[in-house]
Amino acid sequence: DDLSSDQNNTSSVMMMSTQVMLFLLVWFCCCCLVVYGQSPSDRAKALLAKMTQQEKFDMVHGSPGLYVGDVPANSRLGIPAIHLEDGPQGVADGNVLVTAWPSALTVAASWDTSLMQQFGAAMAQEQKGKGSNVMLGPMMNIARVPQGGRNFESFGEDPYFASQMAVASIKGIQGEKVIACAKHFVNNNQEDDRRTVSANVDERTQWEIYYPAFQAAVDAGVGSVMCGYNKINNTWACENEHTLGDLKVGMGFEGWVMSDWGATHSTVQAANAGLDQQMPENSFFWTEARRSGQRKSSQDGACR
């Protein structure tokens, strides 16, 4: 029984790793490599086949670095570093000589999607100028609680309106060859007790109110999604098989899911539910995986 359990754990972690790596490698091949006669997906798969187990694990968690989130470069295979930086309101985290942008909610109040696209593009240009290639935004949670501490970063309370603004923002960001990150999936609608609260939401309400902006983001080709701190129906968002299944299967999301910073609570349960990358460190998606003897299939799955 112990051997069977270890094999199941191994399968979970390696599958998870392959999924996230293949997406990141496809992005890398699209933006950085010119190899005639091969699609980005084929080039990514060829790179993945050359990676060692350690190299795969190195891509499914954060490491210390100069940005709020870092994944080191793979110099052996020529894979560049991934630099993740806040946020929905422009370059943050102590960076200097950066723009103090208007709030996303202010831009949304223009009802002008072309302006929102320009807003996203301008922030992405500054992100790129500071060396980051993943912008941790847009922030797309519905403004359910009027006193919500991050409503100013959102697109308001209307699901359809928020969806249109999310698409415009993502097109602007990713048009500058910076990966957008739709956050926080999902029901992260208040700051009070956000690391402990459970948002208990029925299926119809999810699809009619809280999912539409994320569905629109997926349809627009968003590269990454961040799961939140909160619980959903008493299960942590970053190990919630139901909601992450809705994202990956129901909505057809093909990018990678990263945790909010410190929002990972397990290894196997999170990996099996659909979490691809722990941020900003490796307490569960490397250290605990090694301790538990987990290796092959899930790791490959997340890297894909």
Side-chain angles (χ1 to χ4, degrees):
D1 288 344
D2 289 344
L3 178 59
S4 175
S5 176
D6 285 346
Q7 289 171 339
N8 289 336
N9 293 344
T10 295
S11 176
S12 297
V13 175
M14 292 296 286
M15 282 180 62
M16 169 268 299
S17 183
T18 297
Q19 289 167 355
V20 69
M21 253 191 296
L22 266 180
F23 176 82
L24 293 173
L25 293 174
V26 166
W27 166 77
F28 162 59
C29 291
C30 285
C31 298
C32 307
L33 292 180
V34 178
V35 180
Y36 296 101
Q38 277 189 306
S39 69
S41 179
D42 287 341
R43 298 200 297 272
K45 289 176 182 177
L47 280 172
L48 182 62
K50 297 177 182 179
M51 296 178 77
T52 67
Q53 178 179 291
Q54 179 64 56
E55 289 170 332
K56 293 173 184 178
F57 265 117
D58 286 345
M59 292 193 75
V60 298
H61 62 75
S63 298
L66 297 177
Y67 297 83
V68 70
D70 280 278
V71 177
N74 182 325
S75 57
R76 184 178 74 86
L77 295 175
I79 301 170
I82 302 168
H83 300 310
L84 306 94
E85 189 55 77
D86 289 315
Q89 297 299 141
V91 181
D93 301 302
N95 282 280
V96 298
L97 301 177
V98 296
T99 304
W101 300 96
S103 73
L105 192 58
T106 298
V107 180
S110 70
W111 291 69
D112 187 340
T113 52
S114 64
L115 182 63
M116 181 61 76
Q117 185 165 340
Q118 294 174 51
F119 178 60
M123 288 192 294
Q125 289 169 7
E126 189 163 82
Q127 291 277 1
K128 188 163 55 176
K130 291 294 185 178
S132 56
N133 46 28
V134 180
M135 174 175 155
L136 299 176
M139 203 293 279
M140 297 167 21
N141 294 124
I142 293 295
R144 178 182 64 83
V145 180
Q147 303 92 338
R150 299 185 71 171
N151 285 352
F152 72 98
E153 294 180 304
S154 77
F155 303 130
E157 71 278 13
D158 182 85
Y160 178 78
F161 180 81
S163 298
Q164 299 307 302
M165 290 297 171
V167 168
S169 176
I170 289 162
K171 285 182 177 179
I173 295 165
Q174 296 193 161
E176 299 299 322
K177 305 300 183 185
V178 174
I179 297 177
C181 179
K183 66 182 190 182
H184 309 83
F185 194 77
V186 62
N187 308 128
N188 188 171
N189 306 98
Q190 66 182 62
E191 289 298 282
D192 286 352
D193 302 320
R194 66 174 179 161
R195 291 179 180 265
T196 56
V197 70
S198 178
N200 298 327
V201 185
D202 65 86
E203 192 79 358
R204 178 175 177 176
T205 304
Q206 287 285 35
W207 285 101
E208 291 186 356
I209 296 178
Y210 298 106
Y211 280 173
F214 288 96
Q215 178 70 76
V218 170
D219 293 342
V222 71
S224 63
V225 169
M226 181 189 295
C227 49
Y229 288 118
N230 56 294
K231 295 178 182 178
I232 304 156
N233 297 328
N234 300 308
T235 300
W236 296 112
C238 290
E239 55 186 50
N240 194 304
E241 184 176 10
H242 187 82
T243 53
L244 292 176
D246 283 345
L247 175 68
K248 291 190 170 184
V249 179
M251 300 184 201
F253 178 58
E254 295 183 348
W256 89 96
V257 177
M258 70 183 77
S259 71
D260 204 339
W261 272 226
T264 307
H265 295 271
S266 65
T267 303
V268 175
Q269 184 172 343
N272 285 342
L275 180 63
D276 299 309
Q277 189 176 60
Q278 178 184 4
M279 278 292 163
E281 37 77 39
N282 65 355
S283 56
F284 289 101
F285 275 26
W286 173 237
T287 306
E288 183 61 32
R290 290 190 64 186
R291 185 179 300 122
S292 303
Q294 299 151 357
R295 292 290 187 273
K296 174 91 174 145
S297 301
S298 284
Q299 183 189 45
D300 284 356
C303 292
R304 184 178 297 121

